[in-house]
Amino acid sequence: MSQPSALSPQSRTDALQALVATADHGGELDVLVVGGGVVGAGTALDAVTRGLSTGLIEQRDFASGTSSRSSKLIHGGLRYLEMFDFGLVREALEERGLLLTRLAPHLVRPVPFLYPLHKTLERPYVGAGLVLYDAMAMAGKYDMGVPKHKHLFRRQVARIAPDLKTEELTGAIRYYDCQVDDARLVMTIARTAATHGAHVATRTKVIGFVREGERVVGVRAIDLETGREFEVRARVVVNAAGVWTDEIQEMVGGRGSLNVQASKGIHLVVPRDRIRSEAGFITKTEKSVLFVIPWGRHWIIGTTDTAWDLDKAHPAASKADIDYLLTHVNKILREPLDHDDVEGVYAGLRPLLKGESEPTSRISREHTVVTPVPGLVMIAGGKLTTYRVMARDAIEAAAHSLKTTVNLTVRDSITDRVPLVGADGFETRSNQRVLLARRSGLHVARIDHLLGRYGDLVDEVLALLAERPELRMPLEGAEDHLAAEVVYAVTHEGAQHLDDVLTRRTRISIEMFDRGVATAPTVAALMGGELGWDDARIAEEVDHYLRRVEAERQSQAKLTDQEADEARVQVKDIV
């Protein structure tokens, strides 16, 4: 593999120059992807590794929408077995094994779950489902990568999860799925695409389409950092804008081939010591599935599943949403949780393909690819786990268009054999963790933390520490992270604003009780040193972040979606 490209400020400038140059005669791209979530980043990677000249533009930051606000699970979707969505489950389990064992072993890791059994008759029913779940995983093309499920009786459950109300159970079944830091996964996919030659630019918004007759031949865009407008020419434009699909359809003339319903899901983050358990939990509620997911020194509790038709950029969690999750999780816990236990809250929108009259909790997570007008491919639906399949299908549709219009034969997808940056030497570096700790002077636990974020790119971070020893200091107010991680986020991971680092390159915004308020000035100063910010600009970034946190806190005290939305939208994006 070629040396990983840095998503640096200079690389963004270079990408924009390359995109602007496409407006010159004969300089058009083969594929331009609109949307920097997991599907957009995956689509850019699929296209560029097939040999197509590729661009990717995103109006905000990588994963700033749905793709940073998920349950952070790479899973088959146990609930879809009950909906008889066997094809979706089999596909997702195959992708789970591929990500865990080949594509992103540094980012994806197994996590155990308990499925509590309240009645004796549940055991054969749930057990049969998990036999099928494991069988599908083992029958796939790739290694299963996780242990098989195991039946547990009440006494065993009490040992594993002392804070679970075991007296009301007949036992449980333990099974395994996987988890990932979703925002880092997306950024890593985008960086991998850039490494292979894709032109990647964030904070670049589509404001219209360029047409020649009926055909789409590019987009009009604006660089939100400078206000400069320009055209990008491409033989095929792939729209992967998720919940913004309808807005893109309106831009192209209102021909709505896809009907996307935004469904809001919220999650709570609580300290790990509030629930004593060696495994997560999954249980059904009357409306959705409740997950309690181990997440480092925290638990993630989710999720809700309700229709949302308010501000799409910043969906807001209401007090009613939070109460709903606390009420349901407390039904299975000995020591109830309350609002004071909640460290962080985040809300995201799922782009669901809408049925005629189905509630959002019943709408399928399967995806659809359409070509509403020549030169434009649109993809919507799907789930985090199956991003690679969605990307492949989108480029298959683009390939068909390229074949019929310019007689260009496109090679088959190879993304099942293209590890993400950081994956190649991860096992080697993991085996060398004690040696790396000794050489760098860091604690082994700190090396483990860095390996789980960067994989074999840990070498770049350690080189930065050797070059600039002052970056070895833990961040004040967020001691899990080193100052070097902030600098690296700017120089190698495309972070341009304080929000990008506190909310997506790290998870300080949801993992600290103060949501990153204490560390914000330090992080902004470190970023400013790399981006050339003056004192006024640093103060502006910090002020915006503090106002954003306060707006979120206010929204989470409101009873209804409408009130929560009104409180949250008071603070707009800084760009």
Side-chain angles (χ1 to χ4, degrees), residues 427-476:
E427 281 192 83
T428 299
R429 289 291 175 271
S430 295
N431 289 342
Q432 296 170 339
R433 54 197 282 276
V434 175
L435 184 63
L436 292 174
R438 197 177 301 139
R439 282 181 186 163
S440 64
L442 296 176
H443 193 281
V444 173
R446 187 72 75 179
I447 294 293
D448 289 340
H449 162 84
L450 295 175
L451 283 166
R453 287 169 56 75
Y454 306 106
D456 70 4
L457 300 182
V458 70
D459 293 351
E460 295 182 345
V461 181
L462 295 179
L464 182 61
L465 288 174
E467 185 184 323
R468 297 170 59 182
E470 73 277 10
L471 298 180
R472 300 166 63 87
M473 295 300 294
L475 291 175
E476 185 180 350

Side-chain angles (χ1 to χ4, degrees), residues 71 73 75-82 111-118 122 126 129-130 133 149 157 161 164 169 171-178 275 277 279-285 288-294 299-303 328-329 331-333 383:
S71 297
L73 292 176
H75 64 142
L78 202 53
R79 62 181 288 199
Y80 304 127
L81 285 181
E82 270 199 315
V111 59
F113 285 98
L114 297 179
Y115 193 112
L117 303 171
H118 294 86
E122 276 186 299
V126 176
L130 282 163
Y133 200 64
H149 74 281
V157 175
L164 200 61
L169 305 177
I173 303 178
R174 183 178 61 202
Y175 76 101
Y176 282 79
D177 260 319
C178 295
I275 305 172
S277 178
F281 315 120
I282 175 175
T283 185
K284 287 197 295 185
T285 72
S288 61
V289 172
L290 181 76
F291 280 105
V292 181
I293 306 162
W299 296 97
I300 292 176
I301 301 170
T303 180
H328 281 87
V329 76
K331 288 179 181 177
I332 62 172
L333 297 178
K383 49 187 277 184

Side-chain angles (χ1 to χ4, degrees), residues 250-391:
E250 284 172 21
M251 263 186 223
V252 83
R255 296 178 59 168
S257 298
L258 295 173
N259 190 355
V260 175
Q261 165 72 58
S263 167
K264 182 177 70 166
I266 83 141
H267 295 80
L268 312 180
V269 182
V270 302
R272 189 67 179 263
D273 60 10
R274 283 298 286 112
I275 305 172
R276 290 177 301 154
S277 178
E278 297 168 20
F281 315 120
I282 175 175
T283 185
K284 287 197 295 185
T285 72
E286 68 276 8
K287 294 180 184 174
S288 61
V289 172
L290 181 76
F291 280 105
V292 181
I293 306 162
W295 181 255
R297 296 191 295 108
H298 316 270
W299 296 97
I300 292 176
I301 301 170
T303 180
T304 56
D305 203 338
T306 54
W308 178 265
D309 58 5
L310 301 167
D311 180 58
K312 290 178 180 174
H314 303 291
S318 67
K319 184 174 183 296
D321 292 326
I322 297 168
D323 286 343
Y324 172 85
L325 288 181
L326 289 175
T327 298
H328 281 87
V329 76
N330 285 340
K331 288 179 181 177
I332 62 172
L333 297 178
R334 292 189 188 282
E335 294 290 329
L337 302 173
D338 62 28
H339 286 264
D340 291 339
D341 294 309
V342 177
E343 285 178 292
V345 182
Y346 62 94
L349 300 178
R350 308 175 189 90
L352 304 182
L353 292 171
K354 193 174 181 182
E356 287 302 309
S357 59
E358 297 174 284
T360 58
S361 60
R362 294 293 302 175
I363 299 175
S364 173
R365 269 37 170 191
E366 292 196 54
H367 64 275
T368 297
V369 180
V370 297
T371 305
V373 295
L376 177 65
V377 172
M378 307 191 78
I379 182 163
K383 49 187 277 184
L384 180 74
T385 307
T386 56
Y387 81 86
R388 194 193 65 83
V389 177
M390 297 173 68

Side-chain angles (χ1 to χ4, degrees), residues 82-102:
E82 270 199 315
M83 298 162 77
F84 302 108
D85 243 336
F86 299 125
L88 178 63
V89 176
R90 182 171 58 249
E91 182 178 84
L93 286 170
E94 198 163 89
E95 292 302 304
R96 183 190 74 178
L98 182 60
L99 282 161
L100 175 65
T101 63
R102 188 186 300 183

Side-chain angles (χ1 to χ4, degrees), residues 45-46 74-75 90-109 136-138 140-146 178 185 385-390 392 413-420 423:
L45 178 59
D46 191 278
I74 297 293
H75 64 142
R90 182 171 58 249
E91 182 178 84
L93 286 170
E94 198 163 89
E95 292 302 304
R96 183 190 74 178
L98 182 60
L99 282 161
L100 175 65
T101 63
R102 188 186 300 183
L103 301 186
H106 55 315
L107 301 177
V108 178
R109 49 194 57 90
M136 284 180 172
M138 288 186 288
K141 287 187 283 187
Y142 314 108
D143 290 342
M144 179 173 168
V146 299
C178 295
L185 174 67
T385 307
T386 56
Y387 81 86
R388 194 193 65 83
V389 177
M390 297 173 68
R392 182 191 68 201
S413 176
I414 62 166
T415 50
D416 60 336
R417 304 190 296 282
V418 178
L420 303 186

